[in-house]
Amino acid sequence: MRATSKARTPRRLAAGAVVAATVGWSLTAVPGGAAAEQADSGPELVFEQSGPIDGVRPGDSVAVPFAVKNKGDAPATRVVLYLRGSQGLAYDKRYSNCVYEDAPAQDEGPAQVNAECDIEQTLEPGVVYEPAEPIGLDVLDRALYERLNLNILAGVGTFPEGTQHGGGADPVLRLVARTAPEAPGTVHGGELATDITAENTADFALTGSKVKGERGRTVDAKVTFANKGPAWARNDVYGPIGVFDVGIPRGTTVTKVPEFCEPAGAATYRCTTPYNYADEDSERAYVFGLRIDKVVANATGAVAFVKGDHHWGTLPFDRNRTNNTAEITVNASDGGAAAGGASGGATGGTDGGAGSSGSTSGTGGTGSTSGTGTQLGELAETGSGDTLLAGGAAVALLAAGGAAVAVRRRTS
């Protein structure tokens, strides 16, 4: 399904008057959770299942049709339609029998654009209904992997004083009976999820740091993950959207491990983003405490993205690969720090960006000062020239994910 383009700038929704109380539905909780949980007898509303929408671009307007059937044995009255859109979308119209809300990010969930529509109609058994016009959505500049979820229930009163007390000024959203016969083998479900993939990119970037110090001193070495946009990105599963390995420089022992990082082999830690999404223009710092056991000039640990738990490969939406690797360098020769030299810390702060929590200290351990490394699984790792994730290996890991591929989000 291809979207039609409008020659206009997509508008963003103004902040809703209703404050989000929970992730997902915060206007009113969906009674029973889904249409499938309604009574065995009486009305039963189900959606015809449809495919994804691909090929849209920021600035487009896309029409999302849907069809709902009353599979029950009684008419459905006082129908309520629930819509939950991802944050890269905006509703093109605001119907008078719907209330709208921009729900901010909560806990582990991204921001959403929600609506509830009170449809004071009777849906007869065996009849398929469609909206008088498809739901119109604007594709925003930040759009990439988007989704519109729909639920519909009968016998639920949303607006006690009547349908005209909704949040919009447009005409009433109505359902009309479809005259064409239902196609054989049509698949139905109690919920409908339409994936909308925009042709857009998200620039994931890694930044390392240079630290220096004398033998016995503990320094903070910071690695920063950032999404430079223009799109926000979310995973197709509930795993983290960004995964990267951090090599520990030779001659040092890890005494503090940042949150969302864990050992992944000798002298290597694997770190992830906290959630399965990363907003555009957001960043998070990961600060490692490194004790300098032996001063080694230009001791370097490579930092690089690796394939995470999803179906895409390594960051197919990221067309800029120049910032996908970084380094932690201890006692760089250009800064001049040998044994007994001046000591210092990592540059920059230690706080994460928007949507992230601060780093926490892990359990420290004592590593070998000879640079041979401790046993795998220990939280403190000592860097080693034999086990260090070198720059070439980091590039190989990155290349394993392949070049940028077609941007398409699988339905989870």
Side-chain angles (χ1 to χ4, degrees), residues 21 64 113 179 195 203 218 276 383:
V64 182
V113 289
T179 56
D195 288 311
D203 183 11
T218 297
N276 73 329

Side-chain angles (χ1 to χ4, degrees), residues 78-411:
R78 199 60 187 267
V79 175
V80 176
L81 176 69
Y82 301 87
L83 299 95
R84 183 173 71 251
S86 56
Q87 61 180 341
L89 304 172
Y91 296 105
D92 187 66
K93 287 187 175 181
R94 295 198 168 211
Y95 294 98
S96 61
N97 58 329
C98 302
V99 291
Y100 297 84
E101 172 196 45
D102 286 357
Q106 296 283 321
D107 297 328
E108 298 182 1
Q112 296 174 339
V113 289
N114 299 337
E116 294 182 11
C117 302
D118 195 5
I119 302 174
E120 291 186 316
Q121 296 179 234
T122 298
L123 307 187
E124 298 294 341
V127 179
V128 177
Y129 294 85
E130 298 173 321
E133 59 181 8
I135 301 296
L137 298 171
D138 290 333
V139 182
L140 304 182
D141 293 340
R142 69 192 303 192
L144 180 58
Y145 302 127
E146 307 303 324
R147 173 175 285 189
L148 179 68
N149 291 87
L150 287 83
N151 294 76
I152 190 166
L153 294 175
V156 180
T158 298
F159 309 134
E161 299 180 17
T163 58
Q164 299 306 313
H165 290 266
D170 286 309
V172 172
L173 174 63
R174 292 188 58 81
L175 302 178
V176 296
R178 190 169 68 189
T179 56
E182 187 175 72
T186 299
V187 178
H188 298 94
E191 301 178 359
L192 179 63
T194 300
D195 288 311
I196 303 169
T197 300
E199 296 179 357
N200 206 353
T201 62
D203 183 11
F204 279 18
L206 294 171
T207 305
S209 59
K210 292 183 178 181
V211 296
K212 58 184 178 178
E214 57 192 13
R215 180 176 177 177
R217 181 174 176 82
T218 297
V219 295
D220 284 343
K222 183 176 71 171
V223 174
T224 301
F225 162 85
N227 177 10
K228 297 180 178 294
W232 77 292
R234 69 173 174 179
N235 207 342
D236 58 347
V237 295
Y238 285 103
I241 184 64
V243 182
F244 55 94
D245 280 354
V246 177
I248 305 304
R250 213 171 89 184
T252 66
T253 296
V254 176
T255 60
K256 180 178 67 175
V257 181
E259 193 177 13
F260 304 107
C261 295
E262 60 184 21
T268 302
Y269 281 78
R270 179 152 294 178
C271 302
T272 70
T273 53
Y275 311 125
N276 73 329
Y277 72 96
D279 285 341
E280 75 280 16
D281 302 322
S282 65
E283 68 176 36
R284 179 184 178 85
Y286 300 75
V287 181
F288 288 84
L290 301 180
R291 188 182 68 238
I292 300 173
D293 299 319
K294 179 180 180 181
V295 174
V296 179
N298 294 312
T300 302
V303 183
F305 285 113
V306 296
K307 186 180 183 303
D309 183 16
H310 48 64
H311 304 287
W312 301 321
T314 304
L315 312 181
F317 48 80
D318 187 352
R319 308 284 175 82
N320 178 19
R321 299 305 179 99
T322 62
N323 55 15
N324 286 176
T325 60
E327 292 180 339
I328 296 174
T329 304
V330 179
N331 288 328
S333 58
D334 57 3
S343 61
T347 59
T350 61
D351 293 331
S356 66
S357 58
S359 301
T360 59
S361 298
T363 302
T366 302
S368 169
T369 59
S370 64
T372 58
T374 56
Q375 293 182 353
L376 298 182
E378 292 184 8
L379 199 53
E381 296 285 350
T382 299
S384 168
D386 297 330
T387 57
L388 174 66
L389 180 64
V395 174
L397 282 170
L398 184 62
V405 297
V407 180
R408 174 164 182 150
R409 183 181 188 282
R410 290 170 57 101
T411 303

